[in-house]
Amino acid sequence: MQVRQLKIEGAYEFTPQVFEDARGVFLSPYQEDVFTEAVGRPLYPVVQSSYSVSKRGVVRGIHFTAVPPGMGKYAYCTRGKAVDYIIDTRVGSPTFGMWDSVELDPQNRRSVHIPIGVGHLFVALEDDTTISYLLSTGYEPQREHAIHPLDPEIALPYPEGLDLLLSDRDRAAPTLAEAKELGILPDYADSLRLEARSTTARSS
């Protein structure tokens, strides 16, 4: 498995080895020994597994979970194609407001780890794009927040030729600066502590 550390601290791209024969293919999107060596700890205990199916042009994000409890995500694409953006929404982080991206599809078979406190968005490049997630906490609507996906300060470079489709919630979301003023953004130090605590809880 190949590993690439992204610009955002704690975020990584993983590309597994694929075994192919006349029957089809076999691969392991998550491998704990590789993850632990790269990140310095194993993946958090998985509390929920989810997936989304999106039409071409659908934008989901920028989403993040209130800290505490925060939500770590491990995501990969099983059908279609997407550009996945990781945005540092942690106040106090040295890369606050910065982003990096990973192309996800069943051909390159990459996965991406999004740490607690970090924002996440993807845009579907094909119909029926399916993104699967392993999550460190369960979904609770009152703890979920969003940043406007077209925030000019973040300036995500969406692929050309797409008619972007946003939810009402994302269209009404504040900019990063407005969210900071509202006091809803995760704190960097708190996010790191929760990341470490999730691993401790798993090993105890």
Side-chain angles (χ1 to χ4, degrees):
M1 177 175 271
Q2 298 178 343
V3 181
R4 180 171 72 95
Q5 185 171 1
L6 303 181
K7 296 176 183 177
I8 308 306
E9 181 184 352
Y12 290 82
E13 169 196 286
F14 297 90
T15 305
Q17 183 178 5
V18 178
F19 301 92
E20 186 170 2
D21 59 25
R23 300 168 298 170
V25 298
F26 177 84
L27 65 142
S28 300
Y30 173 70
Q31 297 172 34
E32 184 161 295
D33 57 342
V34 178
F35 185 94
T36 300
E37 182 177 355
V39 181
R41 57 183 179 275
L43 190 68
Y44 38 76
V46 175
V47 172
Q48 182 172 313
S49 175
S50 303
Y51 72 89
S52 63
V53 181
S54 303
K55 299 178 181 178
R56 172 179 163 85
V58 164
V59 175
R60 295 183 185 266
I62 303 166
H63 298 156
F64 64 94
T65 304
V67 173
M71 179 185 287
K73 301 177 182 178
Y74 192 87
Y76 52 94
C77 179
T78 58
R79 184 176 181 180
K81 188 174 186 178
V83 179
D84 195 285
Y85 297 93
I86 300 91
I87 303 94
D88 198 341
T89 50
R90 301 169 297 185
V91 175
S93 168
T95 56
F96 175 74
M98 294 177 59
W99 59 269
D100 205 344
S101 64
V102 175
E103 191 171 279
L104 302 178
D105 62 44
Q107 286 70 50
N108 63 49
R109 298 178 172 89
R110 299 185 185 105
S111 300
V112 62
H113 172 244
I114 303 108
I116 288 174
V118 170
H120 179 238
L121 173 150
F122 75 83
V123 55
L125 304 183
E126 298 179 2
D127 286 339
D128 296 323
T129 292
T130 303
I131 305 294
S132 294
Y133 304 88
L134 303 177
L135 306 172
S136 67
T137 57
Y139 176 77
E140 296 186 29
Q142 70 275 16
R143 293 176 173 172
E144 297 301 314
H145 297 292
I147 302 296
H148 201 291
L150 302 179
D151 183 346
E153 181 182 354
I154 299 174
L156 296 178
Y158 293 99
E160 297 181 359
L162 293 176
D163 293 324
L164 300 181
L165 178 59
L166 280 60
S167 68
D168 291 341
R169 171 200 177 198
D170 290 341
R171 196 177 293 112
T175 65
L176 184 67
E178 291 169 341
K180 186 176 182 181
E181 289 182 7
L182 290 169
I184 63 173
L185 295 179
D187 177 77
Y188 175 62
D190 288 345
S191 298
L192 294 183
R193 279 194 293 270
L194 285 165
E195 281 275 334
R197 188 182 302 169
S198 67
T199 304
T200 302
R202 173 179 173 167
S203 61
S204 59

